[in-house]
Amino acid sequence: MTIIIDPQSSGIAGNMLIGAFVDLGANASEIKDIMEKSAIEFGGVEVNFEKINKNGIASTFCQVKMLEVEKSISCKELISKIEKLDLDENVKNTSINIFKRIAEAESKVHGKTLKTAHFHEVGASDAVADVIGSVYAYYSLDFDKQKVIGLPIAVGGGTIKTSHGILPVPVPAVIEILKDAQMTGGPVDSELATPTGCAVYMELCDEIKEFIPLLKPKQTGYGAGRKDFDHPNVLRILECEDITENDTIDVIETNIDHLTGEEIGYLFDRLLDEGASDVSITPIIMKKNRQGSLLKVISKEFNRENLIKAIFKETGSLGIRITPNIHRGVAKREFITKEYEIDGKTYEVTFKVGYVNGEIISSRPEYEDLKRIAKDSGLALRDVKELVK
C-alpha cells in the first residue's frame, strides 16, 4: 500500500492530520485519551471529534481546546517531559524527532543554538497533543509499514500576528521546516500551513512528489481545518493500492576504446560504489573499424553530476552523452529471507521478490548467498541454485 498526504488545497495542521487519520479508521476514543493524558504536563487540553461538512466535503474535525496557556518552554525541557510520558517507544521517538525539527527551524530563524531555543506558539499543550495524536494515529493504522508520499503544500498568504510580531505567511519557521519539500502560495489570504503540521508531514513522508503516481485509490480520509473558506478547508489522505511504481532516471553513455580490460573492470566497480543504479559495458565497433566498448550508466538525477565527474576522471573521455528524465516502470520489490538445510547445515538465503498489481512476478535468490553456500558446502553453484528454488 501507498499513503498519499495531500495538502495541495488547504495546507496542513496537526488537528487536520488527526482528523484525516480518524476518517480512515483510527480509533477516535483512544486518540482523545492519549492526547489529553500527554498534554497534562504542558497545561492540559480537551479533545473532541465530530463529523462536519466543509463546503460539500464530509470530514472529521478534531477540536483541541487548551485548558491552560503556557508562554514558552525550552526545547530541552519539552523533550525531557515527552521522554517521561507513558507512550509506545515508536510514538515517543517520532514525536521527539518532530519537535527537534521545529526547534532546529526556530533556532536558525532566531539565531540561537538548539540548547537555548524556546517554543512559543508551538510549545503549548495543543501542539504537544497534535503531534502525539498524529503520530499515535499513524502507527495505529500501521502506516509506518507503508510508503508515505507527500504532495506540495499550500501555505496561504498575507500576514499573521505572532509572539514575534506581525510576520508574513508562510512564517520563517515553516520555510525552514519545508526545505527540500514543495510549497505553493495561496489560494487564500490566511495561514494554511502551521509549523507543527509541516514538521509532522516532513517526519512521516518518505518522499515528496509533485503529482500522485500510478496507484489504485482504496480509501480516502478528510481532516477538517478550523477556518472556513470559499473552498473545502480539508486535508486529504489517500490509502492506495500499488500498481507499478513510476520512476525517472538518467542514462549516461560514452564510448571507450583506450582502456584495458582491468581498467574497465575497475571503472565498473567504481561507478557502482559512486551510487550508479546500474552499469553495463557492451562491445562495439567504432569508426575506422576500431573495437571499443559502450559504457552505459543508469543514474538518479541527484547523483548524475557525481557520476559524470567519475567517468571523466577514470576514462579521460572527451564527451559524455546524457539522456535525462527517462521514465521507466518499476515493479514493487521486497527482500525476504528463507532458511534451507543442505547437507545437515542450515543456510539463510535472501530472495528479491517483485510484485505487479499485488501478484508475484519474480522471486530470485541473491547471487552472493548462493556463492557463499557453494563455497561452504563444496557443491557446484548450479546445484545450490536448484536446491534453493
Side-chain angles (χ1 to χ4, degrees):
M1 300 290 285
T2 295
I3 309 303
I4 305 291
I5 299 179
D6 182 5
Q8 294 180 102
S9 64
S10 295
I12 193 165
N15 70 318
M16 295 171 77
L17 277 159
I18 297 168
F21 285 141
V22 168
D23 222 38
L24 284 170
N27 189 304
S29 179
E30 287 182 5
I31 295 170
K32 171 183 167 69
D33 186 55
I34 288 289
M35 292 172 70
E36 291 180 343
K37 285 182 178 178
S38 299
I40 290 173
E41 286 295 315
F42 303 89
V45 295
E46 181 183 321
V47 179
N48 289 293
F49 290 93
E50 62 176 316
K51 279 284 188 180
I52 63 173
N53 192 290
K54 283 286 191 179
N55 279 40
I57 302 295
S59 53
T60 298
F61 179 52
C62 174
Q63 183 180 42
V64 183
K65 180 181 178 181
M66 289 189 293
L67 301 181
E68 183 180 336
V69 178
E70 293 188 0
K71 290 184 178 179
S72 68
I73 184 172
S74 71
C75 173
K76 183 178 179 181
E77 184 182 358
L78 183 139
I79 289 173
S80 176
K81 286 186 175 183
I82 293 177
E83 286 174 340
K84 295 174 183 176
L85 294 176
D86 183 19
L87 294 171
D88 174 84
E89 286 302 310
N90 286 328
V91 174
K92 188 183 297 183
N93 291 335
T94 303
S95 298
I96 289 172
N97 288 341
I98 289 166
F99 276 108
K100 284 181 178 179
R101 283 181 182 270
I102 301 171
E104 287 168 1
E106 292 280 356
S107 62
K108 186 167 184 179
V109 168
H110 301 302
K112 297 182 178 181
T113 65
L114 199 58
K115 289 183 179 180
T116 59
H118 273 66
F119 295 105
H120 295 277
E121 286 83 0
V122 296
S125 55
D126 61 338
V128 172
D130 281 349
V131 170
I132 292 175
S134 299
V135 174
Y136 180 87
Y138 163 82
Y139 279 105
S140 74
L141 293 169
D142 289 330
F143 284 173
D144 58 305
K145 298 180 177 65
Q146 315 302 329
K147 182 175 183 178
V148 180
I149 295 175
L151 298 181
I153 295 180
V155 295
T159 60
I160 184 174
K161 185 177 180 180
T162 74
S163 59
H164 302 291
I166 303 296
L167 293 177
V169 172
V171 296
V174 164
I175 294 175
E176 285 297 324
I177 292 168
L178 292 182
K179 277 188 173 178
D180 300 322
Q182 299 180 51
M183 65 180 189
T184 181
V188 294
D189 182 356
S190 180
E191 182 186 41
L192 294 182
T194 67
T196 302
C198 291
V200 176
Y201 167 92
M202 292 298 290
E203 184 68 26
L204 300 187
C205 289
D206 300 306
E207 189 176 355
I208 311 296
K209 285 183 174 289
E210 185 176 2
F211 302 111
I212 297 175
L214 185 61
L215 297 166
K216 286 183 179 178
K218 288 297 181 183
Q219 190 176 190
T220 305
Y222 293 97
R226 177 176 53 83
K227 302 173 184 176
D228 291 315
F229 302 120
D230 291 336
H231 70 279
N233 182 21
V234 294
L235 172 73
R236 181 171 66 171
I237 298 181
L238 294 86
E239 194 171 357
C240 304
E241 183 178 290
D242 298 331
I243 302 179
T244 300
E245 296 182 9
N246 278 331
D247 200 5
T248 58
I249 56 170
D250 293 339
V251 178
I252 306 168
E253 295 181 340
T254 191
N255 294 347
I256 301 171
D257 65 354
H258 57 287
L259 298 183
T260 66
E262 290 86 356
E263 289 169 332
I264 290 175
Y266 175 79
L267 172 65
F268 188 98
D269 293 337
R270 168 76 191 280
L271 293 173
L272 289 175
D273 290 341
E274 290 290 339
S277 300
D278 200 0
V279 179
S280 64
I281 298 173
T282 307
I284 58 173
I285 300 296
M286 301 171 64
K287 63 183 180 181
K288 298 182 181 180
N289 293 321
R290 296 198 312 271
Q291 290 186 338
S293 301
L294 170 64
L295 171 68
K296 182 177 287 188
V297 181
I298 306 299
S299 170
K300 292 289 189 180
E301 182 182 357
F302 73 87
N303 204 31
R304 178 203 304 162
E305 294 303 319
N306 185 43
L307 290 167
I308 290 172
K309 287 178 183 177
I311 295 170
F312 273 127
K313 181 178 179 179
E314 297 296 340
T315 68
S317 173
L318 299 178
I320 295 175
R321 300 179 295 276
I322 304 164
T323 308
N325 299 322
I326 292 179
H327 291 266
R328 65 173 178 175
V330 184
K332 183 180 179 183
R333 286 164 281 185
E334 68 175 357
F335 292 90
I336 62 172
T337 301
K338 297 181 181 180
E339 290 187 348
Y340 290 88
E341 187 173 320
I342 299 175
D343 291 340
K345 188 171 181 179
T346 301
Y347 296 95
E348 287 190 348
V349 180
T350 299
F351 285 76
K352 182 188 289 185
V353 183
Y355 299 87
V356 172
N357 293 334
E359 296 182 7
I360 295 177
I361 60 167
S362 67
S363 178
R364 300 172 186 168
E366 292 287 271
Y367 167 72
E368 292 299 327
D369 287 348
L370 299 182
K371 185 172 73 171
R372 172 176 50 81
I373 295 171
K375 285 184 176 180
D376 186 74
S377 66
L379 295 172
L381 183 66
R382 64 176 182 273
D383 292 335
V384 174
K385 190 174 181 180
E386 286 296 318
L387 290 171
V388 300
K389 279 186 175 178

